[in-house]
Amino acid sequence: MPDAEPTTPAASDREKPTRTRRRSGTYAAADERRRRIVETAMGHFAERGYLNASMQKIAADVGISYAGLLHHFGNKRELLRTVLEVRESQAVELFYRRLDLEQPDLVQLLGLIAEHTRFNLTQPGLMQMYTLLSAEATAEDHPAHAYFAERYARIRALVGQAVALGVASGKLRTDTVGDTVARELLAVADGFQIQWGLSDGTWDMSGAYRDYLDRLCRRLTEDGSGLDG
């Protein structure tokens, strides 16, 4: 039987050019609504803490229904997780992306911490949010417990790595212990934040913390140089 002659595909069967889908106004509006929900939730968590914050009140302040809020965030735990993730990514983008995470320098890291603290004071609600949440999260059943435990462990590991590299290169004193430095940094930062909150924001925490970081730097470096050295 002879081979059948090739046929020309019908116009409807021919391959159609691929179109690039534009991001519709609906999607853009949804993204904007999620952003407003996260920002509003930050304010509520800062003012009331996680435990006393109300999803219904957050929805009302955003101007949407409670059901509308649940459409974007299924529950309060998910909303809290997003709030913390957004804050973390903002900090990395604004400050710590300048740090070489493979070869972190302790003096540079301390300088970035000073910058980050100064920036945080321009957003007092977020400072209050972290202070309240970190205190609440000491309870193991708190939804932010794992986040703060991991965050503190990550900071201790980063500082420990920076100290080890500094000692090995001869920049830092040989008796410097990374974990001790890291825990001191965290303890002073947390304590200063509480005192700043109790002062109603009138105390110059940024200046005081930078002075502390400069003294710490001079104490640890072999040549006694500070943050500006």
Side-chain angles (χ1 to χ4, degrees):
M1 184 176 179
D3 292 338
E5 292 183 4
T7 58
T8 301
S12 59
D13 296 328
R14 294 173 187 160
E15 183 177 350
K16 297 180 180 180
T18 302
R19 293 182 180 179
T20 302
R21 292 187 60 185
R22 293 180 60 190
R23 193 168 182 82
S24 72
T26 301
Y27 287 130
D31 286 347
E32 173 62 19
R33 191 170 295 114
R34 282 178 62 90
R35 185 191 64 79
R36 289 196 293 115
I37 291 171
V38 170
E39 288 186 353
T40 303
M42 285 182 183
H44 280 249
F45 292 152
E47 183 178 350
R48 302 174 177 85
Y50 171 82
L51 299 177
N52 293 322
S54 164
M55 291 282 276
Q56 288 87 347
K57 290 181 179 178
I58 292 172
D61 282 358
V62 175
I64 61 176
S65 66
Y66 177 55
L69 175 58
L70 293 181
H71 172 73
H72 294 281
F73 299 96
N75 52 55
K76 193 161 69 164
R77 285 174 178 261
E78 182 183 341
L79 179 56
L80 174 64
R81 183 171 62 250
T82 301
V83 166
L84 294 174
E85 288 173 353
V86 167
R87 282 297 297 151
E88 191 84 15
S89 63
Q90 288 174 348
V92 171
E93 181 68 21
L94 289 172
F95 302 101
Y96 300 106
R97 66 180 301 180
R98 288 178 267 164
L99 186 71
D100 183 354
L101 296 180
E102 297 298 323
Q103 298 286 323
D105 178 81
L106 183 67
V107 177
Q108 182 190 16
L109 176 58
L110 296 182
L112 292 173
I113 291 173
E115 285 186 42
H116 190 190
T117 300
R118 185 168 62 249
F119 172 77
N120 282 346
L121 289 171
T122 68
Q123 301 176 306
L126 298 181
M127 289 272 289
Q128 186 178 357
M129 182 189 74
Y130 260 82
T131 301
L132 287 175
L133 287 178
S134 61
E136 288 182 348
T138 55
E140 292 186 4
D141 59 347
H142 192 282
H145 179 83
Y147 168 83
F148 279 99
E150 189 276 334
R151 179 173 180 267
Y152 277 49
R154 181 159 30 89
I155 293 172
R156 293 200 307 272
L158 177 61
V159 173
Q161 183 184 5
V163 166
L165 290 170
V167 170
S169 67
K171 292 181 180 179
L172 301 182
R173 293 168 53 94
T174 56
D175 58 352
T176 306
V177 180
D179 191 65
T180 301
V181 174
R183 291 183 183 276
E184 179 183 327
L185 278 169
L186 290 167
V188 173
D190 290 348
F192 274 21
Q193 286 181 29
I194 292 173
Q195 294 180 64
W196 178 80
L198 292 174
S199 75
D200 295 325
T202 60
W203 177 50
D204 180 17
M205 174 185 162
S206 176
Y209 195 53
R210 193 187 187 287
D211 287 346
Y212 157 73
L213 293 173
D214 184 65
R215 291 194 304 273
L216 177 65
C217 190
R218 293 179 186 280
R219 193 176 83 216
L220 299 181
T221 52
E222 276 287 1
D223 60 2
S225 61
L227 292 183
D228 299 324

